[in-house]
Amino acid sequence: MLRLPVFALHEPETLGQVLELLRIHQPSVGLFAGGTDLLPNIKLGQTYRAHWISLRRVEELHEITPFDGGLRLGASSGLATLATDPDLTAGWPALAQALDKIASPQIRNMATLGGNLCLDTRCRYINQSQMWRQALGGCLKSHGDQCHVVPGGKGCVAALSADSVAPLIAYGAEVDILGPSGLRRILVQDLYDSDGLHHVRCQPDEVLTAVVLPAPPATRHVRYRKWSVRKSIDFPLVSVAVRLDVDAQGLLSDGLIAVAALGPKPRVLPLGQLRGRVLDEQLAHDLGQMAFDRCRPLPNIPYDPAYRRERLAVEVRRAVRDMAGLPIKPLAARLALLGDQL
Amino acid sequence: MSQPLDSKDVSSELPQQPSRHILGGRHGKADSLDAMTGVARYTDDISLPRMLHAKILRSPHAHAEIVRIDVSAAEALDGVHAVVVGREMPTCYGVIPWTPDEQALATDKVRYVGDAVAAVAAISEEIANLACQLIEVEYKVLPALITPEAALQHPEIKIHPNNKHGNITKSVQLAFGDVDGQLEAADLVVEGHYQFHGTTHGALEPHCAVAYFDTRQLLTVWSSTQVPHYLHRELAKVLGLPTYQIRVIQPLVGGGFGGKSEPFDLEFAAALLSIRTGRPVKLLYTREEVFLAHRGRHPFDMNYRTGFSKDGKILAVDARSILDGGAYSSFGLVTTYYSGQLLGSPYAFDSYRFDSTRVYTNKPACGPKRGHGSVQPRFAMEVQLDKAAVALGLDPIELRRRNFIGENTTTINEFHVGSSGFLECLDSVEQASGWKQRRGRLPRGRGLGVAGSTYISGTNYCIYPTELPQSGVQICLDRSGRVRVFAGTSDIGQGSSTMLSVIAAEELGVEIDDVRVIAADSDLCPVDLGAYSSRITLMAGNACLSAAKDLGGKVRDAVAKSWGCSRREVLLAGRRAQRLDDPSVWMSIQDAFVLAEIAYGTMGSTGSYQTPRQEVHGEYRGGTIGASPAYSFTAHIAEVEVDEETGEIEILHVWCAHDCGKALSPVLVEGQIEGSVYMGAAEVVLEHHHVMDSGLKADGSQRDSGPGVEGLLAASSLLDYRMPTTLDTPQLHAMIVEKPDPRGPYGAKEAGEGPLHSAIPAIVNAIYDAIGVRIDQLPATPSKILAALRAQRSGNPL
């Protein structure tokens, strides 16, 4: 069977101890949350650290704290807990639904929100055994110097595969990052970089401590749509959240489309220019087309990128229809009118 | 005899006349709780004192010559006990004795990414892995032939240099009747080009072997195999040991589905490493190695022409198939024959021919997967019938009824068909699915499809030529009241040991739990050929029945003597012997066994089964391949919903009715039906054992990346090889049809493979019913559905 290499596992109980351990054991040290993704990656030899710091015993990372209509979620909050948390499901339902779509019940019992945000990027040329990668001759992310996704490419384009990212962006969430020089707070959409090797903008001596959800305005609607081949277990092949803010007349006032599972970084498409539009099938169609035009899935995760691009448009349409009170799946008759989009 | 101590009178509950007290009851699998509670012992659960762990070094190239191997650095590593390479056991083997083209570890060439090159035994798996990395292999890389087209275009690049015909491993042409004349005379000729993609078994338990060459120089090999007897023979051949010096034990197996029906590199490697070190050696595959060992469903490229009369009678079938064999022959000779030979039922037609060619490619070898060699042609055949029904304006079920082959008859290619419940199968699914009321009245996007099929209950002939029985069973009973059954049969989860218990219990009057089955240990058990071709219930069942009847007769004789009646008047049932005409006269079965042991001495009996030699098959060359003592029949109806915006197919329901002759254990038969349908449905919409190729389009419209990817598995984990989760599984409706066959024990025929076949075309036909497009090339991915819908809208259907 696949074996784990030898490493030291530290189990600090305070954030101070976490920072200290991070400092002492640089450079071969990493943070270990639920471990549901990390352990397979360690077994497959994709990542190695001599020291892993488990965050499980750090109490304050588990805290869920309401504030001014908002919610601060400790990074170690479990996905299963959050998916059914009454405050979260009431105020940020699309996020709760997204978390409930991650992997399987057993994995959600172990996995954490912070772990999902810091999930390593995925690619069909990386998430393979050591033997497989050696047979390939390696890649930018794995003992090699060429990219197989973008031949001739100089940067790793492995895909951001965390389901939580798109809905968090849609809700305008921020993250707290603690380091030796103190706490900083940044928007989730600024957390990511386009380098698939180091796509999370945390320094090696920092720790992501919490996710901060601002109070959602009553006029804000968010839907999360995920597509994977199977209905459970799989990482997203399409991951998109659509936010529509509506004014008193029910017309669009602002919004955005946040798309993950493309490259290492999420794509955010603002909708401010569409202010005043009616929430109808035409809007669904136009936003689907916008996502189709502006997003180009790569052959990095294991499914036909051309189909994923079409499917992204479908999922955007369905998100909009849902918020517009239309049936999510159009009737056969209406399909014909959608024409080439299909 | 006096009444037993337990004087509770339950005689009124006893059967008043001979009837089945166990057989056909709704009992479960005898050992299912062990598996469910985690106490079942699989091969990997074996741990012996001083045991070493072994790993195999595998080729990173799809096609290369081995120039040099240097194992010195690996041997020098602390903790390494032995390193072996191919030249230490170069003998070629193959499960089919006519096509021995495999070596335990490659000597001169590697033929796919993953071909075994060397093996290491060390004190831990970690050290064995490290040592593998230290082995230096110099390769001369050769052009990789990933597709059959490439392999046929380049006969000069021979994957097997000694092969006679380029890269063709087997080519079969057989013809019956006047095909061309009938096609010409036909009112309708349906032509179709079909593709079936590669899929693999996905058994939960990875292959594992433990070998120990002990102080008496006896080699014991425990292996998660489906064919301990064939493994025994091949171990002897390759290791140069006499068979009496080898003991093969098959512990509980966590699923096989055909993926463990031949010897693999790990058994030979573990054995040789144990011989070298004198210590037990364990070798456990990783999941990736299971995908590389493969032996899964052959990709088929099929061109079919089928002629029909205007009333829907099949007049002629003309089938041409290219089989993508992968790097080795495996069962390929049989697969090539099966691709055409098993088309002759469940329908009668007067003319037919097939031309099938199996080609070597630089990929993991294909072999037998549930429904070996006949699932792919069945897909083409049944879609052809559906197209004909549409063209002729006939109900597809009616078209099938009109072509039914009948019972006690002979197929066009001269196989004798005994019992057949095919019409009853069609009736059952038609009724259960509401076909008559619902078909044609469903909204667009939703559809129903039907298909039928047939399968063998074991092959009439052993893989190697022999007059020996196919199956032997020995039964002992004694004063304890327990029954012991010794059989070479492989329980791979299908429940063959339960089947033996049921027959022994039925005949000897005990309960299932009173029967201890000792199976698949070559030192203890008579030979059985193994768990393949759906043969065990019919063959070992008959052997067991014969032995049990013999012993049961003796017990009844002994009891009859004490009661002063004839043996016919003694019934053994429910842990008792009782008088048929007077249920108040009875004794415990334990007392009955005591009487028998007093009368006859130690109680034992053997039974064996040999297939019939008359009325089975024709005498033409190849006429024995596909011949079976009895055939099962199946019909499926599937209901699907197609999302026309995404192209996704949801398989809502599959109704399957299967004629297994007689269900000895109905719960287990239903389990086989459900498992088969689950597996078949997955092959339509999800699973794909895809090997990457830099040159050609693959996997729908996705082009695999540039040089370096040739021969790599696109999906080498259970995450990427997408088997259905519970949520992806359709509602399964299993229905049993019983048309007893005189050749089966109590009339029983197979149930393990037949119920898969027509699930696939039924689903594909349902897609057509839902949206009016044909998916002739599997898998039915959303992109293919969208492309077909676009073509439909543009007025140029694909």
Side-chain angles (χ1 to χ4, degrees):
Chain A
M1 68 174 87
L2 294 172
R3 312 295 302 189
L4 278 173
V6 174
F7 55 78
L9 184 74
H10 304 272
E11 296 191 301
E13 294 180 357
T14 67
L15 279 170
Q17 290 167 352
V18 172
L19 292 181
E20 179 63 7
L21 285 164
L22 276 176
R23 189 184 64 78
I24 294 171
H25 295 294
Q26 289 295 338
S28 192
V29 58
L31 297 171
F32 191 108
T36 53
D37 194 55
L38 205 45
L39 280 170
N41 289 355
I42 296 172
K43 282 185 175 180
L44 290 167
Q46 287 157 26
T47 187
Y48 174 80
R49 301 281 192 284
H51 297 270
W52 289 105
I53 303 171
S54 168
L55 300 176
R56 190 146 289 260
R57 294 193 178 178
V58 181
E59 286 292 333
E60 60 187 288
L61 291 178
H62 292 268
E63 287 166 7
I64 300 176
T65 324
F67 69 91
D68 301 341
L71 210 52
R72 186 176 186 277
L73 311 171
S76 292
S77 302
L79 298 183
T81 310
L82 291 176
T84 53
D85 180 86
D87 290 337
L88 195 73
T89 48
W92 299 269
L95 176 61
Q97 284 160 14
L99 301 182
D100 201 39
K101 288 179 196 289
I102 294 172
S104 67
Q106 293 88 340
I107 290 174
R108 289 194 294 275
N109 286 339
M110 290 295 290
T112 71
L113 181 60
N116 191 248
L117 280 169
C118 298
L119 183 79
D120 200 359
T121 51
R122 297 186 63 83
C123 179
R124 59 203 295 231
Y125 299 100
I126 299 160
N127 298 100
Q128 301 285 358
S129 74
Q130 210 145 4
M131 182 203 125
W132 196 103
R133 286 176 284 132
Q134 280 169 0
L136 176 72
C139 72
L140 295 174
K141 198 176 164 87
S142 165
H143 72 275
D145 55 6
Q146 55 173 332
C147 180
H148 300 272
V149 176
V150 182
K154 296 282 172 251
C156 172
V157 292
L160 172 70
S161 299
D163 280 286
S164 63
V165 173
L168 284 171
I169 292 172
Y171 282 120
E174 297 174 300
V175 285
D176 283 347
I177 297 168
L178 182 68
S181 48
L183 191 72
R184 61 192 179 98
R185 183 170 285 191
I186 60 170
L187 283 168
V188 170
Q189 72 185 77
D190 295 330
L191 180 62
Y192 298 99
D193 201 352
S194 56
D195 175 4
L197 306 185
H198 307 283
H199 74 304
V200 179
R201 286 174 173 152
C202 279
Q203 295 305 310
D205 54 1
E206 288 183 321
V207 52
L208 191 155
T209 56
V211 172
V212 181
L213 288 162
T219 53
R220 173 162 293 176
H221 304 279
V222 177
R223 291 292 184 277
Y224 177 67
R225 302 286 305 177
K226 167 183 185 166
W227 179 67
S228 55
V229 176
R230 291 180 291 189
K231 294 195 178 82
S232 180
I233 277 289
D234 288 336
F235 287 98
L237 294 165
V238 170
S239 176
V240 58
V242 181
R243 177 178 111 202
L244 301 180
D245 296 327
V246 293
D247 62 20
Q249 284 75 47
L251 302 176
L252 190 68
S253 61
D254 198 1
L256 61 79
I257 302 173
V259 189
L262 297 169
K265 198 181 164 166
R267 195 82 205 267
V268 182
L269 311 176
L271 302 179
Q273 74 281 16
L274 297 171
R275 183 173 302 124
R277 287 282 300 269
V278 181
L279 273 59
D280 60 4
E281 179 64 28
Q282 191 59 48
L283 183 70
H285 178 270
D286 292 349
L287 296 194
Q289 189 65 42
M290 178 196 283
F292 184 86
D293 291 342
R294 306 266 305 271
C295 301
R296 287 179 190 272
L298 297 164
N300 48 5
I301 43 182
Y303 210 83
D304 178 6
Y307 179 77
R308 281 164 47 218
R309 192 175 174 204
E310 286 189 67
R311 187 63 188 254
L312 171 62
V314 174
E315 297 304 337
V316 169
R317 289 203 293 270
R318 292 187 168 185
V320 176
R321 286 183 196 132
D322 194 19
M323 288 182 274
L326 298 167
I328 288 181
K329 295 185 190 181
L331 298 172
R334 185 141 21 89
L335 270 168
L337 300 176
L338 288 168
D340 288 344
Q341 176 79 45
L342 292 179
Chain B
M1 290 294 287
S2 61
Q3 294 281 309
L5 288 176
D6 176 8
S7 61
K8 184 181 160 216
D9 183 10
V10 289
S11 59
S12 61
E13 295 163 27
L14 285 171
Q16 297 301 302
Q17 53 193 337
S19 64
R20 306 297 180 205
H21 74 121
I22 299 286
L23 207 88
R26 294 203 63 83
H27 48 263
K29 210 168 2 182
D31 54 358
S32 54
L33 270 178
D34 283 357
M36 289 165 68
T37 54
V39 300
R41 274 168 292 181
Y42 299 89
T43 306
D44 186 42
D45 293 314
I46 294 170
S47 185
L48 299 174
R50 303 172 69 239
M51 188 171 81
L52 300 172
H53 296 267
K55 292 304 291 183
I56 291 173
L57 175 70
R58 299 185 178 279
S59 164
H61 304 295
H63 198 191
E65 282 172 20
I66 298 172
V67 179
R68 185 181 62 89
I69 304 181
D70 181 353
V71 300
S72 52
E75 284 176 330
L77 184 68
D78 225 16
V80 171
H81 281 248
V83 182
V84 293
V85 294
R87 62 176 176 274
E88 294 172 70
M89 44 177 172
T91 306
C92 284
Y93 67 91
V95 67
I96 303 289
W98 320 116
T99 56
D101 60 1
E102 295 192 59
Q103 290 174 308
L105 302 168
T107 55
D108 307 317
K109 278 190 86 174
V110 287
R111 296 177 173 89
Y112 70 99
V113 174
D115 221 349
V117 175
V120 178
I123 55 170
S124 71
E125 248 180 309
E126 289 87 341
I127 293 174
N129 275 326
L130 197 57
C132 282
Q133 297 276 323
L134 294 174
I135 297 172
E136 281 178 44
V137 187
E138 188 186 323
Y139 294 101
K140 182 186 165 204
V141 177
L142 303 170
L145 302 170
I146 301 298
T147 63
E149 297 76 39
L152 289 169
Q153 273 165 18
H154 295 285
E156 77 286 0
I157 306 169
K158 277 189 161 189
I159 294 174
H160 289 268
N162 295 330
N163 192 47
K164 276 188 204 146
H165 308 288
N167 290 309
I168 293 174
T169 84
K170 184 71 193 170
S171 196
V172 178
Q173 291 81 30
L174 283 173
F176 308 88
D178 177 15
V179 177
D180 292 319
Q182 293 275 15
L183 284 172
E184 201 140 310
D187 296 312
L188 170 72
V189 176
V190 177
E191 293 196 34
H193 173 227
Y194 301 91
Q195 285 174 341
F196 203 107
H197 59 304
T199 64
T200 200
H201 317 82
L204 271 180
E205 181 206 18
H207 304 50
C208 183
V210 178
Y212 181 37
F213 192 64
D214 67 20
T215 52
R216 294 172 301 158
Q217 306 224 311
L218 171 71
L219 174 68
T220 303
V221 176
W222 293 262
S223 176
S224 56
T225 179
Q226 299 177 233
V227 287
H229 175 64
Y230 293 142
L231 174 60
H232 194 178
R233 288 169 52 89
E234 299 302 294
L235 281 169
K237 181 180 170 186
V238 172
L239 298 169
L241 292 172
T243 44
Y244 56 78
Q245 211 175 329
I246 300 174
R247 177 180 184 183
V248 173
I249 301 173
Q250 175 231 304
L252 200 60
V253 167
F257 311 106
K260 296 170 180 168
S261 21
E262 53 200 291
F264 289 91
D265 50 23
L266 85 168
E267 290 136 337
F268 300 108
L272 187 59
L273 287 165
S274 181
I275 290 170
R276 290 276 183 277
T277 59
R279 292 170 65 150
V281 175
K282 178 188 284 184
L283 210 163
L284 170 69
Y285 275 176
T286 61
R287 180 56 60 180
E288 182 181 34
E289 286 178 297
V290 177
F291 281 108
L292 292 169
H294 190 43
R295 319 285 155 153
R297 188 126 25 243
H298 287 68
F300 268 43
D301 187 279
M302 299 171 278
N303 281 289
Y304 271 57
R305 285 195 301 158
T306 315
F308 296 87
S309 68
K310 59 179 180 298
D311 59 355
K313 281 289 293 171
I314 305 168
L315 301 176
V317 175
D318 179 16
R320 279 178 296 128
S321 307
I322 300 287
L323 288 69
D324 182 351
Y328 295 100
S329 282
S330 176
F331 280 84
L333 183 150
V334 177
T335 322
T336 313
Y337 272 105
Y338 278 8
S339 69
Q341 282 289 65
L342 295 178
L343 279 174
S345 173
Y347 312 115
F349 39 90
D350 294 336
S351 76
Y352 130 83
R353 71 173 166 234
F354 70 91
D355 178 343
S356 295
T357 299
R358 184 178 186 269
V359 184
Y360 283 127
T361 50
N362 290 119
K363 295 191 286 198
C366 296
K369 175 178 165 180
R370 203 176 206 170
H372 180 197
S374 105
V375 167
Q376 305 94 323
R378 183 54 54 191
F379 157 64
M381 180 82 177
E382 294 292 320
V383 176
Q384 289 277 97
L385 293 186
D386 207 61
K387 290 177 180 174
V390 171
L392 297 168
L394 285 172
D395 178 311
I397 295 181
E398 174 57 22
L399 180 132
R400 286 171 173 81
R401 285 194 180 110
R402 288 185 190 179
N403 287 289
F404 174 50
I405 192 166
E407 292 195 81
N408 301 313
T409 182
T410 302
T411 65
I412 168 89
N413 50 342
E414 301 181 54
F415 295 142
H416 177 80
V417 173
S419 79
S420 171
F422 183 56
L423 293 180
E424 291 79 357
C425 290
L426 286 173
D427 292 345
S428 298
V429 293
E430 181 183 52
Q431 196 174 8
S433 65
W435 173 272
K436 277 184 187 156
Q437 306 81 44
R438 299 171 61 225
R439 186 167 170 278
R441 296 184 183 88
L442 295 169
R444 184 177 162 92
R446 203 177 254 236
L448 290 165
V450 67
S453 58
T454 192
Y455 203 60
I456 55 175
S457 306
T459 58
N460 213 66
Y461 296 92
C462 176
I463 277 173
Y464 58 90
T466 178
E467 295 298 313
L468 289 161
Q470 284 227 18
S471 192
V473 170
Q474 181 184 23
I475 306 183
C476 301
L477 50 83
D478 64 32
R479 59 196 84 176
S480 67
R482 111 176 66 100
V483 174
R484 280 167 288 160
V485 176
F486 300 85
T489 49
S490 296
D491 198 324
I492 55 172
Q494 87 282 39
S496 63
S497 290
T498 302
M499 180 277 297
L500 296 169
S501 302
V502 165
I503 292 178
E506 179 65 39
E507 293 300 321
L508 295 168
V510 298
E511 298 296 326
I512 291 175
D513 286 343
D514 303 337
V515 182
R516 313 279 191 275
V517 176
I518 292 98
D521 180 330
S522 67
D523 265 15
L524 302 181
C525 307
V527 170
D528 177 90
L529 298 183
Y532 68 98
S533 297
S534 281
R535 52 178 295 289
I536 290 184
T537 294
L538 188 138
M539 300 196 184
N542 271 324
C544 183
L545 181 56
S546 156
K549 275 195 181 301
D550 181 44
L551 276 185
K554 285 178 175 165
V555 173
R556 282 154 65 215
D557 269 343
V559 174
K561 201 173 163 199
S562 81
W563 285 341
C565 64
S566 84
R567 77 143 79 166
R568 274 200 206 86
E569 290 170 278
V570 179
L571 172 71
L572 308 180
R575 288 188 180 138
R576 290 182 172 194
Q578 81 168 72
R579 265 190 85 132
L580 261 184
D581 55 358
D582 182 2
S584 69
V585 180
W586 61 276
M587 71 175 76
S588 75
I589 201 73
Q590 192 172 357
D591 290 339
F593 287 1
V594 166
L595 284 183
E597 201 173 332
I598 289 167
Y600 296 98
T602 300
M603 294 289 290
S605 181
T606 58
S608 55
Y609 177 77
Q610 181 56 296
T611 47
R613 301 287 129 146
Q614 307 285 315
E615 282 189 28
V616 186
H617 56 80
E619 293 304 323
Y620 57 93
R621 182 178 165 86
T624 59
I625 304 182
S628 175
Y631 296 86
S632 73
F633 291 83
T634 312
H636 287 86
I637 286 179
E639 181 170 356
V640 305
E641 187 166 272
V642 182
D643 184 329
E644 292 190 74
E645 196 181 20
T646 64
E648 273 188 308
I649 299 156
E650 176 135 25
I651 305 165
L652 302 170
H653 296 272
V654 182
W655 293 269
C656 174
H658 178 73
D659 165 26
C660 65
K662 168 74 190 170
L664 308 183
S665 300
V667 176
L668 273 67
V669 173
E670 287 161 4
Q672 288 298 318
I673 294 174
E674 291 185 359
S676 291
V677 175
Y678 165 89
M679 194 174 246
E683 295 187 60
V684 181
V685 292
L686 288 177
E687 297 182 23
H688 193 177
H689 188 269
H690 175 59
V691 179
M692 296 208 244
D693 184 5
S694 60
L696 290 163
K697 255 187 170 181
D699 205 3
S701 63
Q702 183 161 354
R703 190 180 286 272
D704 298 322
S705 178
V709 303
E710 298 100 336
L712 290 175
L713 289 175
S716 63
S717 68
L718 288 177
L719 187 63
D720 291 336
Y721 186 82
R722 298 172 177 121
M723 290 162 63
T725 70
T726 317
L727 296 178
D728 304 301
T729 306
Q731 281 294 319
L732 307 170
H733 308 270
M735 287 165 279
I736 296 172
V737 168
E738 294 182 316
K739 274 282 181 123
D741 193 288
R743 283 174 174 163
Y746 310 98
K749 306 187 286 190
E750 76 90 32
E753 302 186 72
L756 189 151
H757 289 69
S758 36
I760 291 167
I763 292 166
V764 173
N765 291 339
I767 295 170
Y768 175 79
D769 190 49
I771 53 171
V773 302
R774 291 280 175 197
I775 301 298
D776 291 345
Q777 284 90 38
L778 294 176
T781 60
S783 358
K784 279 187 197 158
I785 297 282
L786 288 183
L789 282 168
R790 267 190 207 109
Q792 184 189 49
R793 273 194 288 271
S794 70
N796 301 305
L798 293 178

